[in-house]
């Protein structure tokens, strides 16, 4: 029999640009989800240390110097102290954990929109950098490459996914399907019914479970001492909800199992059963009997693109 497990979507508020406070909140929410029996727990996009909300609330690059410096200071180095703490929390919970972070290189200042995957033993199993930041996000986040597009093997099926509007990239979706993704983690900032329809479409197209997870932040939850607080978010212009939430869990038929949850923090849970994935694909398998590789072929470059590649000097070749 295919194993059945419980999954959780943690819809919560980050503490804007405060790495340690948000990490503590993530750990507490993970404990709650595990206490409810969740063995796969998914957190929102860039949850630690939160969304650089200024990219949508003011003129691009107008007075955001201090905010960006905060982001660099509070961003997560992978691997590093934050991943060690997240791994320890995953190990204590005994759960697979998927969580979004603002990532930077140890000596870098470009920020990447990154999703981390931890095993129940605490190991960092994979990371995915968002390939294409959307619109004004490009003023903050760099681009990932094809080396972080894999999936993770679990006893409950293959766990993978893409970040927010990456899911509108048809070939990126197909690459996930081609790797046999069974449980699709979908951290996002996207809101509204149209996005819920996207979650349902991916579940139905891929014949997989989808765990869509948003942050949920009210204006009152922006720290009182945040620099230029009145300018980073305006109630008059932007409304009371910085992040209204929009989390859902969807089955392989595209049916909602939980959510959408909006305007409140909380944890959605649902059972997933790999047998339901397999049976759904007897009608439609996007990489099997419903694919025509004789007509359509996808080529994917999965090579990493490091900043530098070191080569030995020709003078050193052949020397002891």
């Amino acid at each position: 029999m295919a194993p059945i497990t419980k999954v959780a979507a943690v819809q919560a508020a980050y503490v804007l640009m405060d790495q340690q406070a948000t990490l503590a909140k993530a750990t507490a929410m993970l404990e709650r989800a595990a206490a409810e029996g969740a063995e796969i727990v998914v957190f929102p996009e860039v949850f630690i240390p939160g969304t650089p909300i200024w990219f949508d609330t003011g003129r691009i690059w107008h007075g955001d110097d201090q905010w960006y410096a905060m982001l660099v200071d509070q961003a997560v180095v992978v691997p590093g102290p934050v991943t060690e703490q997240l791994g320890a929390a995953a190990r204590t919970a005994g759960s697979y954990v998927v969580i979004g972070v603002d990532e930077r290189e140890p000596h870098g200042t470009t920020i990447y929109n990154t999703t981390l995957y931890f095993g129940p033993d605490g190991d960092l199993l994979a990371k995915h950098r968002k390939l294409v930041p959307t619109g004004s996000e490009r003023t903050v986040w760099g681009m990932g490459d094809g080396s972080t597009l894999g999936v993770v093997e679990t006893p409950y099926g293959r766990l993978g996914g893409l970040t927010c509007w990456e899911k509108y990239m048809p070939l990126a979706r197909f690459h996930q399907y081609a790797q046999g993704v069974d449980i699709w983690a979908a951290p996002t900032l996207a809101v509204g019914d149209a996005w819920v329809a996207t979650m349902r479409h991916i579940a139905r197209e891929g014949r997989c479970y989808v765990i869509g997870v948003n942050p949920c932040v009210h204006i009152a939850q922006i720290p009182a001492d945040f620099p230029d607080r009145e300018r980073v978010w305006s109630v008059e212009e932007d409304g009371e909800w910085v992040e209204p939430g929009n989390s859902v869990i969807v089955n392989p038929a595209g049916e909602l199992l939980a959510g959408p949850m909006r305007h409140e923090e909380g944890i959605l849970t649902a059972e997933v059963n790999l047998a339901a994935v397999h049976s759904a694909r007897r009608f439609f398998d996007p990489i099997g009997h419903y694919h025509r590789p004789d007509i359509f072929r996808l080529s994917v470059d999965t090579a990493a693109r490091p900043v530098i590649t070191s080569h030995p000097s020709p003078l050193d070749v052949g020397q002891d």
Side-chain angles (χ1 to χ4, degrees), residues 170-176 178 291 293 296-300:
L171 300 184
R173 286 205 312 273
F174 185 81
H175 183 51
Q176 285 288 304
H291 177 47
F296 306 108
R297 296 184 185 181
L298 174 62
S299 175
V300 181

Side-chain angles (χ1 to χ4, degrees), residues 195-205 210 248 250-256:
W195 184 253
V196 174
T198 295
M199 299 291 90
R200 297 181 68 181
H201 171 82
I202 290 172
R204 191 168 175 84
E205 180 180 68
V210 173
V248 293
V250 191
N251 73 11
E255 300 165 338
L256 291 176

Side-chain angles (χ1 to χ4, degrees), residues 106-227:
H107 306 294
T109 51
T110 290
I111 308 299
Y112 298 94
N113 182 329
T114 297
T115 302
L116 305 177
Y117 293 76
F118 294 89
D121 58 0
D123 285 352
L124 176 59
L125 303 177
K127 77 172 184 179
H128 168 63
R129 285 179 173 175
K130 188 175 182 181
L131 297 177
V132 182
T134 305
S136 57
E137 294 177 356
R138 294 172 198 167
T139 64
V140 176
W141 292 321
M143 293 186 174
D145 59 40
S147 67
T148 67
L149 288 171
V151 299
V152 172
E153 293 277 4
T154 82
Y156 318 108
R158 303 190 111 201
L159 175 65
L162 298 168
T163 305
C164 204
W165 274 30
E166 275 187 315
K167 287 180 275 294
Y168 286 135
M169 299 170 69
L171 300 184
R173 286 205 312 273
F174 185 81
H175 183 51
Q176 285 288 304
Y177 301 152
Q179 295 177 87
V181 61
D182 302 303
I183 303 170
W184 185 300
T188 187
L189 305 175
V191 299
D193 292 339
W195 184 253
V196 174
T198 295
M199 299 291 90
R200 297 181 68 181
H201 171 82
I202 290 172
R204 191 168 175 84
E205 180 180 68
R207 301 290 155 150
C208 56
Y209 289 94
V210 173
I211 309 166
V213 193
N214 293 61
C216 186
V217 183
H218 189 270
I219 180 65
Q221 291 173 299
I222 296 180
D225 60 351
F226 194 85

Side-chain angles (χ1 to χ4, degrees), residues 9-12 29 213-216 244-247 261-262 264-266:
V10 176
Q11 178 166 293
M29 296 296 281
V213 193
N214 293 61
C216 186
N246 203 31
S247 299
M261 177 186 286
R262 293 166 180 159
E264 62 176 316
E265 296 185 75

